[in-house]
Amino acid sequence: MKRKAWVFWSALMFLLFVAAGCSGNDGTTSGDGGGESEDGTTELTLAGWASSPEEESLLNTQLEEFEEENPDITVKHEAIADQYMDVIKTRLVGGEGPDVFYLDAVEAPAIIETGVLEPLNSYVDDEFDTGDFEDTLIEAFQDEEGETYGFPKGYSTLGLFYNKEMLDEAGVDVPTNWEELEEAAIELTTEDTVGLGVAPQMARLQFIGESAGGDMVEDNQAAFGSEEVVQGLQPLVDLRTEEGAAAAPSELGSESTGEMLGQGRAAMVMEGNWNVPYFEETFPELEYGVAEIPEINGTQGTMAFTVSYVMNQASEKKEAAWKLISYLTGKEGMKTWTETGIELPARQSVAEELGFEDDELRGPLVSGAEYATTWSDGPNLPTIYNNFDNEFLSAFLGEKSLEDALDTGEEVANDEIGD
Amino acid sequence: MNNKKEWSKKLLYVVLITYAVITLVPFVWALSSSFKTFAEISSGVMSFIPNEFTFENYRQIFIEEELFFRWLLNSVVIAGGGTALNLIFNSMAGYALARISFPGKKVWFMLILAVIMIPVQVTMIPNYLILKELGWLNSYQGMIVPAMINATFIFMMRQFFINFPKELEEAASLDGLGRFGMFIRVVLPLAKPALAAQAIFVFMGFWNDFMRPLIIMTDADMYTLTVGLNSFKGQYVTYWNYIMAASMVFTLPVLVIYMFFNKFFMKGMSFTADK
Amino acid sequence: MERAETSSTSKVKESKKKRRSNKRLLRDIIQGYGFMLPTILVLLTFILGPVLYAVFLSFFDVTLLGGTVLDFTGVDNYLRLMDDARAKRALLNTGLYVGIVVPVQTFLALFLAATLNAGLKGEKIFRIIYFLPTLTSSAVLTLIFMWMYNQNGLINNMLETVNLPTYNWIGDPNIALYSIMIMNIWATAPLFMVIYLAALQGVPKNLYEAAELDGANVIQRFWYITVPQLRPITSFVVIMGLIGTFQLFDQSYIFSGGSGGPSNSTLTVVLLIYQYAFKSLGTMGYATAIAFMLALIILVASILQRVLSKEEQFN
């Protein structure tokens, strides 16, 4: 009997011991390691979110190329599986942040304000050629003094993706302005298909909301309750509630508007270039075309989404970290990354070299970069769009008038923001 | 009389089977999706039998993920070690709260109940900072030690021990057993059913835990299965086929453990007052 | 009884008793705290420590990112709660959710357990099948349900075939919260069912036999024997249910993509806490203030439950 207890306790101690031992091998995490290791190589941590297997392998190719060029640097890639920003923020608070990490433009202004990012202007040399980047993209990562905190790895814009067969059958031309779009949508709507699939989110609709001269965000406060914004969005809502020619993905059992198009549940959608490889893989039979988003009131508009590589201000390996960033966002690295078109190159020179302007599918998306609204609008945008999305859905589904919904949303958002 | 009994039995079966179907539908759907191609899942056609039966999703998980077995090991060590510690510590605390009268008992009990009521979201960052100070980030003990007790199950074990027959303890103390010896040799064996139920719940808690390992483990070598296999939700596109296959891989071990313990806690487990 | 004895003997005895009880007290303290030691250590370091830190933060405007900046604001965070429309909405949603889910899931769990305990063939298989949802992580379950809930999904298809009205389960603000309720009841009831099932094994069989002889039918036996016999367990199940439902987060997060929409209809208190703690920077203090108000509400509800059910056990 006595022995049994003894065995039990020693087993327990052993388990604890093993647990302690197993983890001991990783004493040095990014933040606390002092620069170089014994053999003279520097280990950098690079954090990003997990994405498609294709993106993963492209990034690995990039990193291999980089390590070949810089034999004294090794890069440890961490893919954060979910809730990326929560995890990154927690690690930054704890002083355990990665050296280099992804940062979406929508989060950038708030993060820049806190001072956890390393200003990059002093690192830039002529060879890096900042002027080569699309201005609208890089602006999202700059503060008021013009200091830059991140360089885009690429970008995506929205275009009008349409089902060629359906348009042909209905004898509808690809719309070039909003009136034509509405007519086409009504024409294309059948029992199983809506004319236009709409993602009812500010991230996708800001340019429409601002098409009638309104601003959805003013002085870092929500302003989407204004008459002009309502005026801008009303036609879209009417298309759904009055004509039944538009629908949100959740209404039809799809996950995204891209899926709606693929499944034949929508004839036209406003989607981004990430759909090109997606369609190839999942809907190889789909015959689709891409056009620029139709003009609204005679002006062109679309959204642009961009993600930058940024440097942790607390990193102790800044020189190496800059080398990595300048490679990944440099001409050579960006070419590797964007060659297959998962993202569009944020550098004009790379775009020219890859010739996406002349690409049938990507050409219209590349042209969008010039006039796109970049999805980034001050530090409070996350709170603002959260409240917009929350209320706009009700209006889009016809549960509330658009005016009421947006008024409520604006008020709540500004309450939350305070002054 | 007999006829009536037959009828009520049939009715019971109808109820049981209906509920079983309701329960099985989502599960079977997830299982069948794990054998579908991504294209088929995306096509929006709903069918329980895959059009094109494929093991590709499982292959992606088992073979393409080089670290799969490392993650499995991590999950097993954390869930296994954590469960073992929970069983002993929760029972000890539950026993003390039920059977030993020491000053401050009430306060501790209220405190234990109170902490269940505070949402984890607010303690997440302070907790992270403590683990960092201890140097326990990226370690097994960082996952196990803060969760090696569980207020819910201390509460449950207390409810169990409070009705434990006194005579047994008295008899044991006549045999010259100390309190701890008695606890290990007399009390715990009799609490087997409660321990079995606890074991399953605690194991499940560790096994399915997502947010904690996501934050604590930064090194891919230290990921648990839940974190490692959760990378199929892309920024724009979600790979349902892989997610469903992964969720089947998570569920199977717990199901096996449940089936194993099932027979224990059906054998007269009880924390009811009057027997 | 000692009063009856003479004063001198009683004094001697009392001092002896005191010595004995002192010794005993010391032993109990050592044993009690010995048994509690691991719990107390973990509780102090990893739970109470962070909680106290969070209490502290609730009196400040907090910026954690980029160097901790604390701005003492006194009880402002608590006052702000009073006229926060979203907080009210969140509390209302959560209250409704708790009010419906706790009774239904408790009853369903008890009912399923009693049914599975009736000595039918194939019980074992049912026990395993019913437990499946509990074994699957809530994130995966939520995703499966969202797929079934969509407008052309399985549930609407089934409703259509039997000529019942279909709903926009996720998109309609009047329905969305109920959709989450159904899903949660379905997923949590089996967990409590297992606990009930285990407890049912301890109900003496002769009680049922006696009642059957007295001519009580199945339903009467359920109400007059099973239910009262299981009262202590019901108390545990209800309190755990209260805590679990008050802290609803995962499902509404996934359902609404974190926004609590449509029109705040799936906004819960913990989702709100999460939004303030992580989504917007500098509102950590406010988030912790809401968390403590929530803990207070749960505490009151638990005490109320205890008073209502006149539970002796739970002291």
Side-chain angles (χ1 to χ4, degrees):
Chain A
M1 275 305 237
K2 265 239 150 79
R3 240 182 56 219
K4 232 174 166 180
W6 185 83
V7 169
F8 173 79
W9 280 110
S10 43
L12 194 73
M13 292 325 286
F14 177 73
L15 203 120
L16 279 176
F17 189 72
V18 169
C22 277
S23 50
N25 59 15
D26 197 68
T28 47
T29 20
S30 49
D32 50 52
E36 291 186 357
S37 67
E38 280 160 34
D39 56 353
T41 60
T42 311
E43 194 191 61
L44 287 175
T45 344
L46 167 70
W49 45 78
S51 235
S52 64
E54 193 197 353
E55 280 190 34
E56 181 94 32
S57 76
L58 271 177
L59 183 60
N60 283 337
T61 316
Q62 269 186 310
L63 294 181
E64 273 161 33
E65 277 177 23
F66 172 75
E67 284 175 353
E68 224 163 85
E69 273 174 40
N70 300 276
D72 55 333
I73 303 174
T74 55
V75 183
K76 202 179 89 186
H77 174 224
E78 280 174 24
I80 293 170
D82 205 357
Q83 314 211 0
Y84 178 78
M85 279 317 287
D86 303 351
V87 176
I88 285 288
K89 281 176 192 167
T90 309
R91 290 202 183 140
L92 288 173
V93 168
E96 296 279 326
D99 300 300
V100 177
F101 55 98
Y102 284 14
L103 183 64
D104 195 305
V106 66
E107 302 274 358
I111 301 289
I112 289 171
E113 249 182 24
T114 64
V116 294
L117 300 183
E118 177 76 4
L120 297 178
N121 279 3
S122 61
Y123 293 85
V124 175
D125 54 18
D126 287 346
E127 202 198 333
F128 185 69
D129 193 5
T130 325
D132 194 19
F133 286 93
E134 296 278 354
D135 289 339
T136 47
L137 301 177
I138 212 165
E139 271 164 19
F141 300 93
Q142 286 174 332
D143 65 11
E144 281 161 11
E145 281 86 54
E147 182 65 72
T148 311
Y149 295 85
F151 289 101
K153 67 185 179 74
Y155 72 97
S156 303
T157 52
L158 297 179
L160 187 76
F161 284 61
Y162 57 90
N163 186 319
K164 276 186 178 166
E165 246 173 281
M166 289 182 185
L167 262 69
D168 282 349
E169 256 172 53
V172 175
D173 287 332
V174 179
T176 54
N177 61 47
W178 197 258
E179 291 71 33
E180 285 176 25
L181 178 78
E182 283 180 1
E183 278 165 34
I186 294 164
E187 194 69 32
L188 287 162
T189 301
T190 64
E191 206 177 305
D192 309 310
T193 311
V194 292
L196 183 69
V198 177
Q201 286 143 7
M202 185 164 162
R204 300 294 184 90
L205 301 176
Q206 193 185 2
F207 73 100
I208 301 178
E210 295 182 347
S211 62
D215 255 328
M216 294 183 78
V217 181
E218 264 170 34
D219 301 327
N220 292 327
Q221 298 258 331
F224 53 73
S226 73
E227 216 174 291
E228 290 88 356
V229 174
V230 173
Q231 213 183 318
L233 287 167
Q234 194 68 53
L236 189 69
V237 174
D238 288 345
L239 197 63
R240 154 76 177 72
T241 52
E242 313 266 307
E243 310 287 348
S250 72
E251 290 185 83
L252 298 178
S254 301
E255 247 195 280
S256 64
T257 46
E259 205 184 80
M260 286 172 89
L261 186 75
Q263 293 171 336
R265 290 178 174 155
M268 303 180 289
V269 296
M270 294 177 276
E271 270 290 355
N273 48 283
W274 57 86
N275 282 282
V276 177
Y278 167 69
F279 286 148
E280 223 165 274
E281 187 185 355
T282 49
F283 303 104
E285 323 267 274
L286 180 72
E287 281 201 41
Y288 67 97
V290 183
E292 289 179 61
I293 301 268
E295 285 179 5
I296 307 171
N297 302 328
T299 15
Q300 288 194 296
T302 183
M303 299 299 295
F305 307 97
T306 180
V307 172
S308 267
Y309 282 109
V310 297
M311 195 195 299
N312 184 354
Q313 206 263 325
S315 167
E316 287 175 17
K317 306 152 189 167
K318 286 179 183 155
E319 283 307 318
W322 170 249
K323 275 189 189 164
L324 180 62
I325 293 178
S326 63
Y327 167 77
L328 289 168
T329 62
K331 286 171 190 167
E332 196 187 333
M334 189 175 288
K335 197 181 147 200
T336 310
W337 176 249
T338 52
E339 225 160 11
T340 61
I342 43 167
E343 267 196 298
L344 299 172
R347 284 174 174 273
Q348 280 149 357
S349 63
V350 181
E352 267 162 44
E353 202 185 333
L354 293 174
F356 283 144
E357 284 109 342
D358 311 321
D359 188 294
E360 195 192 336
L361 294 174
R362 293 188 176 92
L365 298 168
V366 175
S367 344
E370 243 173 81
Y371 50 80
T373 308
T374 302
W375 180 231
S376 178
D377 212 329
N380 296 325
L381 185 58
T383 306
I384 295 169
Y385 81 74
N386 197 34
N387 281 295
F388 175 87
D389 293 357
N390 195 328
E391 289 295 337
F392 179 74
L393 182 59
S394 295
F396 186 71
L397 296 174
E399 310 279 347
K400 256 185 186 181
S401 80
L402 181 62
E403 220 175 342
D404 283 353
L406 294 189
D407 261 347
T408 320
E410 180 186 302
E411 201 178 307
V412 176
N414 287 337
D415 262 1
E416 234 175 282
I417 292 164
D419 18 63
Chain B
M1 179 78 189
N2 239 349
N3 208 347
K4 213 172 148 194
K5 227 178 178 174
E6 277 298 299
W7 267 107
S8 63
K9 219 174 192 178
K10 269 185 191 149
L11 193 76
L12 273 186
Y13 269 115
V14 171
V15 172
L16 286 176
I17 291 170
T18 312
Y19 199 78
V21 170
I22 296 176
T23 302
L24 276 176
V25 164
F27 201 77
V28 170
W29 180 76
L31 184 69
S32 85
S33 298
S34 74
F35 293 107
K36 287 178 185 168
T37 60
F38 186 39
E40 188 181 346
I41 293 177
S42 304
S43 70
V45 179
M46 274 170 279
S47 148
F48 280 100
I49 298 154
N51 225 340
E52 191 186 320
F53 197 87
T54 175
F55 281 108
E56 185 52 35
N57 306 325
Y58 287 95
R59 208 185 65 88
Q60 172 78 28
I61 287 174
F62 286 116
I63 297 166
E64 297 287 303
E65 289 292 356
E66 293 156 22
L67 287 171
F68 179 84
F69 289 99
R70 174 73 208 204
W71 294 338
L72 183 68
L73 175 78
N74 294 340
S75 277
V76 168
V77 169
I78 290 167
T83 307
L85 293 175
N86 260 282
L87 283 182
I88 178 87
F89 292 151
N90 291 345
S91 309
M92 278 165 63
Y95 179 76
L97 289 172
R99 302 312 286 259
I100 303 172
S101 50
F102 57 95
K105 182 165 106 169
K106 253 193 181 156
V107 177
W108 285 110
F109 182 56
M110 283 317 289
L111 211 61
I112 285 169
L113 273 187
V115 298
I116 317 179
M117 296 166 189
I118 293 170
V120 289
Q121 280 79 0
V122 288
T123 54
M124 212 156 76
I125 288 182
N127 233 319
Y128 179 84
L129 297 177
I130 291 170
L131 288 177
K132 184 201 155 206
E133 284 309 309
L134 291 169
W136 284 5
L137 294 175
N138 254 324
S139 78
Y140 290 138
Q141 64 267 37
M143 279 296 298
I144 294 174
V145 174
M148 69 184 184
I149 61 146
N150 183 317
T152 308
F153 294 105
I154 293 176
F155 178 29
M156 189 182 101
M157 289 315 282
R158 176 188 175 276
Q159 300 292 82
F160 176 79
F161 286 127
I162 214 157
N163 302 311
F164 198 75
K166 271 204 170 66
E167 302 78 39
L168 279 171
E169 279 178 85
E170 276 157 16
S173 75
L174 285 181
D175 285 349
L177 282 179
R179 197 106 202 200
F180 191 74
M182 184 175 72
F183 173 72
I184 293 282
R185 268 169 253 169
V186 180
V187 178
L188 277 190
L190 285 166
K192 251 187 213 158
L195 290 177
Q198 206 196 125
I200 287 175
F201 294 140
V202 172
F203 188 89
M204 255 167 45
F206 274 105
W207 190 257
N208 288 334
D209 197 355
F210 179 67
M211 219 34 213
R212 278 195 327 128
L214 183 66
I215 289 178
I216 296 173
M217 306 301 203
T218 54
D219 195 335
D221 274 347
M222 293 303 290
Y223 287 171
T224 59
L225 271 186
T226 36
V227 174
L229 292 186
N230 218 292
S231 55
F232 303 114
K233 219 160 74 194
Q235 198 187 0
Y236 299 110
V237 179
T238 308
Y239 291 85
W240 284 108
N241 48 336
Y242 299 141
I243 289 180
M244 290 304 157
S247 79
M248 288 298 123
V249 174
F250 300 145
T251 311
L252 202 67
V254 205
L255 191 63
V256 170
I257 287 177
Y258 172 69
M259 294 207 272
F260 173 74
F261 279 115
N262 195 20
K263 62 170 193 263
F264 275 107
F265 59 77
M266 291 311 139
K267 269 194 215 143
M269 164 203 200
S270 148
F271 11 76
T272 45
D274 17 34
K275 279 217 244 190
Chain C
M1 39 175 162
E2 309 215 349
R3 254 173 276 148
E5 296 180 46
T6 62
S7 67
S8 64
T9 42
S10 98
K11 250 181 199 163
V12 174
K13 273 201 172 173
E14 219 146 68
S15 72
K16 252 190 188 169
K17 208 185 153 201
K18 215 174 182 182
R19 228 177 299 140
R20 223 184 307 142
S21 73
N22 264 344
K23 228 171 132 190
R24 205 190 151 129
L25 182 71
L26 191 71
R27 206 190 64 201
D28 277 348
I29 291 179
I30 293 173
Q31 286 180 343
Y33 280 91
F35 272 75
M36 292 280 292
L37 190 68
T39 302
I40 290 175
L41 284 180
V42 175
L43 207 64
L44 290 181
T45 326
F46 294 106
I47 302 172
L48 274 186
V51 167
L52 288 179
Y53 184 61
V55 173
F56 171 78
L57 290 185
S58 73
F59 296 102
F60 290 85
D61 247 359
V62 186
T63 312
L64 289 176
L65 210 53
T68 311
V69 182
L70 299 176
D71 230 341
F72 184 73
T73 54
V75 292
D76 276 8
N77 282 328
Y78 291 91
L79 292 178
R80 182 176 169 188
L81 194 56
M82 297 302 140
D83 40 37
D84 182 339
R86 291 183 82 221
K88 268 180 210 143
R89 183 65 205 263
L91 194 61
L92 221 65
N93 286 341
T94 310
L96 180 69
Y97 184 83
V98 173
I100 293 179
V101 171
V102 173
V104 175
Q105 81 183 12
T106 307
F107 181 77
L108 184 64
L110 182 55
F111 174 77
L112 287 175
T115 317
L116 276 190
N117 202 40
L120 297 164
K121 270 188 198 147
E123 270 176 18
K124 251 191 183 162
I125 298 169
F126 284 120
R127 274 177 200 162
I128 290 170
I129 293 176
Y130 287 7
F131 205 57
L132 280 176
T134 315
L135 296 175
T136 317
S137 76
S138 69
V140 172
L141 279 182
T142 311
L143 295 171
I144 296 174
F145 258 82
M146 282 187 73
W147 170 82
M148 299 203 306
Y149 269 145
N150 72 53
Q151 286 223 298
N152 292 330
L154 196 67
I155 292 179
N156 274 351
N157 273 343
M158 289 203 288
L159 288 175
E160 227 161 58
T161 36
V162 291
N163 277 324
L164 285 169
T166 60
Y167 296 98
N168 185 353
W169 295 96
I170 302 168
D172 186 340
N174 300 316
I175 305 285
L177 189 64
Y178 294 95
S179 310
I180 299 180
M181 284 182 194
I182 294 172
M183 174 175 78
N184 230 31
I185 289 169
W186 171 83
T188 332
L191 179 91
F192 292 129
M193 176 200 78
V194 170
I195 294 174
Y196 270 128
L197 206 48
L200 272 174
Q201 318 297 313
V203 179
K205 290 263 183 307
N206 53 13
L207 281 178
Y208 289 103
E209 284 155 15
E212 212 174 339
L213 283 179
D214 289 345
N217 65 24
V218 184
I219 295 163
Q220 284 169 329
R221 271 176 275 156
F222 177 76
W223 280 116
Y224 295 108
I225 301 174
T226 312
V227 173
Q229 282 285 318
L230 293 181
R231 185 159 289 159
I233 298 308
T234 305
S235 168
F236 175 76
V237 167
V238 170
I239 289 179
M240 285 303 128
L242 282 176
I243 293 168
T245 48
F246 265 118
Q247 296 190 0
L248 173 73
F249 170 71
D250 281 21
Q251 286 88 347
S252 52
Y253 179 88
I254 300 174
F255 246 67
S256 63
S259 79
S263 289
N264 290 325
S265 59
T266 59
L267 185 69
T268 66
V269 178
V270 177
L271 183 57
L272 193 70
I273 292 171
Y274 169 80
Q275 286 180 355
Y276 281 123
F278 284 99
K279 272 263 173 177
S280 45
L281 296 170
T283 43
M284 190 69 191
Y286 185 42
T288 55
I290 306 176
F292 289 110
M293 297 311 287
L294 178 68
L296 198 70
I297 292 169
I298 303 177
L299 194 70
V300 170
S302 304
I303 291 170
L304 224 80
Q305 185 276 340
R306 186 191 142 206
V307 172
L308 286 177
S309 70
K310 300 190 189 77
E311 235 303 13
E312 298 294 321
Q313 302 266 311
F314 182 62
N315 51 10

